[in-house]
Amino acid sequence: MVRILGGLVGLGFVLALLLGIYDTVSNWISNPPQATAEHEFHEHPRKAGFSFEGVLGKYDNRQLQRGLQVYKEVCAACHSLRLVSFRDLEAIGYSEGQLKTIAKGFQVPSINPETGEAATRDGLPSDRFPLVYANDVAARAANNNAIPPDLSLMAKARHDGANYIYSLLTGYREQAGYKNEKGEELLKQFPETKTPEGLHFNPYFATLNLAMAPPIQDGQVTYSDGTAATADNYAKDVSAFLMWSAEPKMGARKTAGFASLIFLVIFCFLAYGAKKQIWRGVKD
Protein backbone atom coordinates (compact mmCIF):
# COMPACT_ATOMS: atom_id res chain seq x y z
CA MET A 1 0.00 0.00 0.00
CA VAL A 2 2.80 2.41 0.92
CA ARG A 3 4.57 1.68 -2.35
CA ILE A 4 1.40 2.34 -4.32
CA LEU A 5 0.84 5.68 -2.56
CA GLY A 6 4.48 6.63 -3.12
CA GLY A 7 4.18 5.78 -6.80
CA LEU A 8 1.01 7.86 -7.14
CA VAL A 9 2.67 10.84 -5.44
CA GLY A 10 5.69 10.56 -7.74
CA LEU A 11 3.42 10.28 -10.77
CA GLY A 12 1.61 13.41 -9.61
CA PHE A 13 4.87 15.35 -9.42
CA VAL A 14 5.85 14.17 -12.93
CA LEU A 15 2.47 15.21 -14.34
CA ALA A 16 2.71 18.63 -12.66
CA LEU A 17 6.19 19.11 -14.12
CA LEU A 18 5.03 18.12 -17.62
CA LEU A 19 2.02 20.44 -17.39
CA GLY A 20 4.30 23.30 -16.30
CA ILE A 21 6.66 22.70 -19.23
CA TYR A 22 3.71 22.48 -21.66
CA ASP A 23 2.21 25.72 -20.32
CA THR A 24 5.55 27.54 -20.58
CA VAL A 25 6.23 26.35 -24.15
CA SER A 26 2.70 27.07 -25.34
CA ASN A 27 2.80 30.59 -23.87
CA TRP A 28 6.16 31.23 -25.51
CA ILE A 29 4.80 30.09 -28.90
CA SER A 30 1.58 32.08 -28.66
CA ASN A 31 3.21 35.15 -27.11
CA PRO A 32 6.87 35.20 -28.16
CA PRO A 33 9.11 37.68 -26.33
CA GLN A 34 9.23 41.07 -27.99
CA ALA A 35 12.51 42.32 -29.40
CA THR A 36 14.14 45.08 -27.38
CA ALA A 37 16.55 47.80 -28.40
CA GLU A 38 19.12 46.47 -25.94
CA HIS A 39 18.95 43.01 -27.52
CA GLU A 40 18.91 44.10 -31.16
CA PHE A 41 21.46 46.92 -31.04
CA HIS A 42 23.84 46.01 -28.22
CA GLU A 43 27.24 45.14 -29.72
CA HIS A 44 29.72 42.56 -28.50
CA PRO A 45 33.22 43.78 -27.54
CA ARG A 46 35.77 44.17 -30.31
CA LYS A 47 39.08 42.36 -30.03
CA ALA A 48 41.97 44.70 -29.24
CA GLY A 49 44.72 42.08 -29.59
CA PHE A 50 46.21 42.22 -26.08
CA SER A 51 49.56 40.54 -25.38
CA PHE A 52 48.16 38.64 -22.37
CA GLU A 53 45.47 36.81 -24.32
CA GLY A 54 45.89 33.13 -25.07
CA VAL A 55 47.41 30.23 -23.14
CA LEU A 56 50.96 31.61 -23.24
CA GLY A 57 50.09 35.31 -23.23
CA LYS A 58 51.73 37.64 -20.73
CA TYR A 59 51.53 41.25 -19.66
CA ASP A 60 53.57 43.94 -21.41
CA ASN A 61 54.97 46.07 -18.58
CA ARG A 62 55.50 49.06 -20.86
CA GLN A 63 51.86 48.97 -21.83
CA LEU A 64 50.79 48.61 -18.20
CA GLN A 65 52.87 51.64 -17.23
CA ARG A 66 51.28 53.67 -20.01
CA GLY A 67 47.89 52.45 -18.80
CA LEU A 68 48.68 53.64 -15.29
CA GLN A 69 49.56 57.04 -16.72
CA VAL A 70 46.21 57.21 -18.53
CA TYR A 71 44.42 56.18 -15.34
CA LYS A 72 46.18 58.86 -13.28
CA GLU A 73 45.68 61.67 -15.81
CA VAL A 74 42.16 60.81 -16.97
CA CYS A 75 40.28 58.11 -15.06
CA ALA A 76 41.40 59.00 -11.53
CA ALA A 77 39.33 62.19 -11.68
CA CYS A 78 36.18 60.09 -11.17
CA HIS A 79 37.04 56.41 -10.68
CA SER A 80 38.73 54.84 -7.66
CA LEU A 81 41.16 51.93 -7.62
CA ARG A 82 40.70 51.10 -3.96
CA LEU A 83 41.93 47.48 -3.98
CA VAL A 84 45.36 48.26 -5.44
CA SER A 85 48.31 49.30 -3.27
CA PHE A 86 51.06 51.53 -4.61
CA ARG A 87 53.64 48.87 -3.76
CA ASP A 88 51.78 46.42 -6.02
CA LEU A 89 53.06 48.49 -8.95
CA GLU A 90 56.50 46.99 -8.40
CA ALA A 91 55.21 43.98 -10.35
CA ILE A 92 54.88 46.07 -13.52
CA GLY A 93 58.46 47.30 -13.47
CA TYR A 94 58.69 50.26 -11.07
CA SER A 95 61.60 50.66 -8.68
CA GLU A 96 61.27 51.51 -4.99
CA GLY A 97 62.10 55.15 -5.63
CA GLN A 98 59.54 55.39 -8.42
CA LEU A 99 56.90 53.84 -6.18
CA LYS A 100 57.53 56.49 -3.54
CA THR A 101 57.19 59.21 -6.16
CA ILE A 102 53.95 57.78 -7.51
CA ALA A 103 52.48 57.37 -4.02
CA LYS A 104 53.47 60.89 -3.06
CA GLY A 105 51.41 62.23 -5.94
CA PHE A 106 48.21 61.14 -4.14
CA GLN A 107 46.68 62.53 -0.97
CA VAL A 108 45.38 59.82 1.37
CA PRO A 109 43.07 60.21 4.40
CA SER A 110 44.82 60.59 7.74
CA ILE A 111 44.36 61.92 11.27
CA ASN A 112 46.05 65.05 12.59
CA PRO A 113 48.07 63.72 15.58
CA GLU A 114 47.79 67.03 17.42
CA THR A 115 44.07 67.72 17.06
CA GLY A 116 42.67 64.27 16.23
CA GLU A 117 40.76 65.75 13.31
CA ALA A 118 40.54 64.26 9.82
CA ALA A 119 43.34 65.35 7.51
CA THR A 120 45.27 64.19 4.48
CA ARG A 121 48.91 63.35 3.84
CA ASP A 122 51.17 62.29 1.00
CA GLY A 123 50.73 58.68 0.03
CA LEU A 124 53.20 55.95 0.97
CA PRO A 125 54.00 52.77 -1.00
CA SER A 126 52.09 50.78 1.63
CA ASP A 127 48.90 52.79 1.02
CA ARG A 128 46.17 51.89 -1.41
CA PHE A 129 44.95 54.24 -4.11
CA PRO A 130 42.63 56.64 -2.25
CA LEU A 131 38.91 56.97 -2.90
CA VAL A 132 37.95 59.81 -5.22
CA TYR A 133 34.78 60.67 -3.30
CA ALA A 134 34.15 60.44 0.42
CA ASN A 135 30.75 58.73 -0.06
CA ASP A 136 28.04 57.95 -2.61
CA VAL A 137 26.23 61.22 -1.97
CA ALA A 138 29.30 63.21 -2.97
CA ALA A 139 29.81 60.96 -6.00
CA ARG A 140 26.25 61.47 -7.21
CA ALA A 141 26.41 65.23 -6.67
CA ALA A 142 29.50 65.48 -8.87
CA ASN A 143 28.34 63.12 -11.64
CA ASN A 144 24.78 63.93 -12.65
CA ASN A 145 23.35 61.57 -10.01
CA ALA A 146 25.48 58.63 -11.20
CA ILE A 147 28.10 56.83 -9.10
CA PRO A 148 31.35 56.14 -11.01
CA PRO A 149 32.22 52.49 -10.31
CA ASP A 150 35.49 51.45 -8.73
CA LEU A 151 37.79 50.04 -11.42
CA SER A 152 39.88 47.63 -9.34
CA LEU A 153 38.02 44.52 -10.54
CA MET A 154 36.14 45.95 -13.51
CA ALA A 155 37.99 43.79 -16.05
CA LYS A 156 36.81 40.65 -14.22
CA ALA A 157 33.32 41.98 -13.48
CA ARG A 158 32.45 42.22 -17.18
CA HIS A 159 32.42 39.50 -19.82
CA ASP A 160 35.58 39.69 -21.95
CA GLY A 161 36.57 42.49 -19.57
CA ALA A 162 39.63 44.08 -21.18
CA ASN A 163 38.06 44.03 -24.65
CA TYR A 164 34.81 45.36 -23.16
CA ILE A 165 36.56 48.32 -21.54
CA TYR A 166 38.49 49.04 -24.76
CA SER A 167 35.31 48.84 -26.85
CA LEU A 168 33.35 51.02 -24.43
CA LEU A 169 36.00 53.75 -24.37
CA THR A 170 36.21 53.87 -28.16
CA GLY A 171 32.57 53.05 -28.88
CA TYR A 172 30.74 56.36 -28.47
CA ARG A 173 28.54 57.05 -31.51
CA GLU A 174 25.98 59.52 -32.80
CA GLN A 175 22.64 57.87 -32.13
CA ALA A 176 20.93 59.52 -35.10
CA GLY A 177 21.31 57.23 -38.09
CA TYR A 178 22.96 54.44 -36.09
CA LYS A 179 22.38 50.99 -37.62
CA ASN A 180 23.16 47.48 -36.39
CA GLU A 181 24.76 44.65 -38.35
CA LYS A 182 21.41 43.83 -39.98
CA GLY A 183 21.14 47.35 -41.38
CA GLU A 184 18.27 48.27 -39.07
CA GLU A 185 18.20 51.85 -37.83
CA LEU A 186 17.78 52.22 -34.08
CA LEU A 187 15.55 55.30 -33.85
CA LYS A 188 13.29 54.14 -36.67
CA GLN A 189 12.68 50.78 -35.02
CA PHE A 190 12.70 52.02 -31.41
CA PRO A 191 11.99 55.77 -31.41
CA GLU A 192 11.34 55.68 -27.66
CA THR A 193 15.02 54.91 -27.00
CA LYS A 194 16.26 58.36 -27.94
CA THR A 195 19.15 59.19 -25.63
CA PRO A 196 17.91 61.39 -22.75
CA GLU A 197 19.60 64.69 -22.07
CA GLY A 198 22.68 64.20 -19.89
CA LEU A 199 23.37 60.67 -21.16
CA HIS A 200 25.58 59.47 -24.01
CA PHE A 201 24.90 56.79 -26.62
CA ASN A 202 27.28 53.82 -26.67
CA PRO A 203 26.21 50.50 -28.26
CA TYR A 204 28.72 48.55 -26.15
CA PHE A 205 26.97 49.55 -22.91
CA ALA A 206 24.22 47.20 -21.72
CA THR A 207 21.45 49.85 -21.81
CA LEU A 208 22.96 51.71 -24.80
CA ASN A 209 23.10 54.97 -22.84
CA LEU A 210 25.43 55.90 -20.00
CA ALA A 211 26.18 58.92 -17.89
CA MET A 212 29.93 59.01 -18.60
CA ALA A 213 30.84 61.38 -21.41
CA PRO A 214 33.57 60.25 -23.86
CA PRO A 215 36.59 60.38 -21.51
CA ILE A 216 39.48 60.23 -23.97
CA GLN A 217 40.51 61.98 -27.16
CA ASP A 218 43.64 62.22 -29.28
CA GLY A 219 46.48 64.22 -27.73
CA GLN A 220 45.05 64.13 -24.22
CA VAL A 221 48.00 62.26 -22.64
CA THR A 222 51.63 62.56 -23.71
CA TYR A 223 53.56 59.30 -23.45
CA SER A 224 57.19 59.55 -22.39
CA ASP A 225 58.23 56.54 -24.49
CA GLY A 226 57.12 58.08 -27.78
CA THR A 227 53.99 55.95 -28.29
CA ALA A 228 51.45 57.73 -30.48
CA ALA A 229 49.09 59.87 -28.41
CA THR A 230 45.83 58.51 -29.84
CA ALA A 231 42.55 57.68 -28.17
CA ASP A 232 42.83 54.11 -29.46
CA ASN A 233 46.21 53.64 -27.73
CA TYR A 234 44.90 55.22 -24.52
CA ALA A 235 41.96 52.80 -24.51
CA LYS A 236 44.16 49.75 -25.13
CA ASP A 237 46.71 50.73 -22.51
CA VAL A 238 44.31 51.57 -19.71
CA SER A 239 42.27 48.42 -20.48
CA ALA A 240 45.42 46.31 -20.16
CA PHE A 241 46.28 48.07 -16.88
CA LEU A 242 42.81 47.40 -15.48
CA MET A 243 43.13 43.76 -16.50
CA TRP A 244 46.33 43.62 -14.49
CA SER A 245 44.72 45.34 -11.49
CA ALA A 246 41.93 42.73 -11.54
CA GLU A 247 44.23 39.74 -12.06
CA PRO A 248 47.86 40.64 -11.26
CA LYS A 249 48.91 36.98 -10.91
CA MET A 250 47.74 35.92 -14.37
CA GLY A 251 51.29 35.25 -15.59
CA ALA A 252 52.11 33.06 -12.59
CA ARG A 253 48.82 31.19 -12.98
CA LYS A 254 49.47 30.42 -16.64
CA THR A 255 53.04 29.33 -15.89
CA ALA A 256 51.85 27.01 -13.11
CA GLY A 257 49.11 25.58 -15.34
CA PHE A 258 51.52 24.93 -18.21
CA ALA A 259 54.02 23.26 -15.84
CA SER A 260 51.21 21.11 -14.43
CA LEU A 261 50.22 19.95 -17.91
CA ILE A 262 53.82 18.98 -18.69
CA PHE A 263 54.03 17.08 -15.39
CA LEU A 264 50.80 15.20 -16.12
CA VAL A 265 52.00 14.20 -19.60
CA ILE A 266 55.30 12.90 -18.20
CA PHE A 267 53.45 11.15 -15.36
CA CYS A 268 51.16 9.39 -17.85
CA PHE A 269 54.16 8.02 -19.76
CA LEU A 270 55.81 6.88 -16.52
CA ALA A 271 52.61 5.25 -15.31
CA TYR A 272 52.20 3.44 -18.62
CA GLY A 273 55.83 2.26 -18.50
CA ALA A 274 55.38 1.02 -14.92
CA LYS A 275 52.25 -0.86 -15.91
CA LYS A 276 54.05 -2.57 -18.79
CA GLN A 277 56.95 -3.45 -16.50
CA ILE A 278 54.80 -4.88 -13.70
CA TRP A 279 52.55 -6.94 -15.98
CA ARG A 280 55.13 -7.92 -18.59
CA GLY A 281 55.14 -11.60 -17.51
CA VAL A 282 51.36 -11.99 -17.45
CA LYS A 283 49.67 -13.32 -20.59
CA ASP A 284 46.19 -12.32 -21.64
Side-chain angles (χ1 to χ4, degrees):
M1 187 66 180
V2 175
R3 291 183 178 180
I4 295 175
L5 290 175
L8 291 175
V9 171
L11 181 61
F13 277 114
V14 171
L15 289 174
L17 178 62
L18 293 175
L19 287 174
I21 294 174
Y22 172 78
D23 185 60
T24 300
V25 173
S26 61
N27 284 336
W28 185 85
I29 293 175
S30 59
N31 298 298
Q34 298 297 314
T36 63
E38 291 82 359
H39 180 267
E40 295 295 325
F41 290 87
H42 176 66
E43 295 189 16
H44 296 289
R46 294 179 290 118
K47 297 297 182 182
F50 292 109
S51 63
F52 51 79
E53 294 179 326
V55 176
L56 301 178
K58 59 181 180 180
Y59 291 122
D60 178 353
N61 281 353
R62 288 183 177 273
Q63 183 179 50
L64 299 184
Q65 291 178 10
R66 293 195 302 270
L68 172 62
Q69 183 180 353
V70 175
Y71 169 77
K72 289 194 303 179
E73 297 187 23
V74 181
C75 309
C78 300
H79 296 276
S80 300
L81 203 66
R82 64 184 180 85
L83 299 181
V84 180
S85 299
F86 294 113
R87 62 186 174 192
D88 294 337
L89 300 176
E90 183 179 5
I92 64 175
Y94 287 108
S95 65
E96 183 178 352
Q98 290 173 318
L99 292 181
K100 291 180 179 179
T101 301
I102 293 172
K104 192 174 182 180
F106 289 83
Q107 292 294 303
V108 300
S110 181
I111 299 295
N112 188 319
E114 298 180 357
T115 64
E117 297 180 351
T120 59
R121 59 170 173 77
D122 293 341
L124 299 172
S126 56
D127 293 320
R128 293 182 177 181
F129 281 81
L131 297 176
V132 178
Y133 302 103
N135 49 57
D136 289 350
V137 175
R140 289 184 184 279
N143 294 279
N144 193 26
N145 205 38
I147 301 177
D150 181 85
L151 298 181
S152 305
L153 301 177
M154 185 57 65
K156 298 296 289 184
R158 300 291 184 269
H159 173 67
D160 201 7
N163 287 311
Y164 166 78
I165 296 171
Y166 165 74
S167 299
L168 185 74
L169 293 175
T170 58
Y172 288 87
R173 305 281 189 272
E174 288 292 335
Q175 189 181 36
Y178 176 76
K179 298 179 180 180
N180 61 11
E181 296 178 352
K182 301 177 182 178
E184 300 167 333
E185 188 170 334
L186 173 60
L187 291 181
K188 285 185 178 180
Q189 190 168 348
F190 299 98
E192 71 280 2
T193 62
K194 184 176 181 180
T195 301
E197 184 177 354
L199 298 183
H200 306 273
F201 177 70
N202 192 316
Y204 294 99
F205 193 65
T207 60
L208 306 181
N209 300 297
L210 71 165
M212 181 175 70
I216 54 175
Q217 57 186 350
D218 292 349
Q220 191 171 356
V221 177
T222 301
Y223 287 136
S224 58
D225 63 358
T227 301
T230 64
D232 190 76
N233 282 339
Y234 300 154
K236 286 181 180 178
D237 294 341
V238 77
S239 298
F241 173 71
L242 293 178
M243 187 68 221
W244 171 83
S245 75
E247 194 172 5
K249 303 298 184 182
M250 178 191 290
R253 176 174 59 80
K254 288 183 177 181
T255 299
F258 190 65
S260 298
L261 287 175
I262 294 176
F263 168 78
L264 289 174
V265 170
I266 295 174
F267 177 78
C268 287
F269 279 107
L270 292 175
Y272 179 76
K275 179 258 185 185
K276 297 293 289 185
Q277 178 68 20
I278 293 172
W279 296 94
R280 69 182 187 278
V282 179
K283 295 182 179 180
D284 294 334

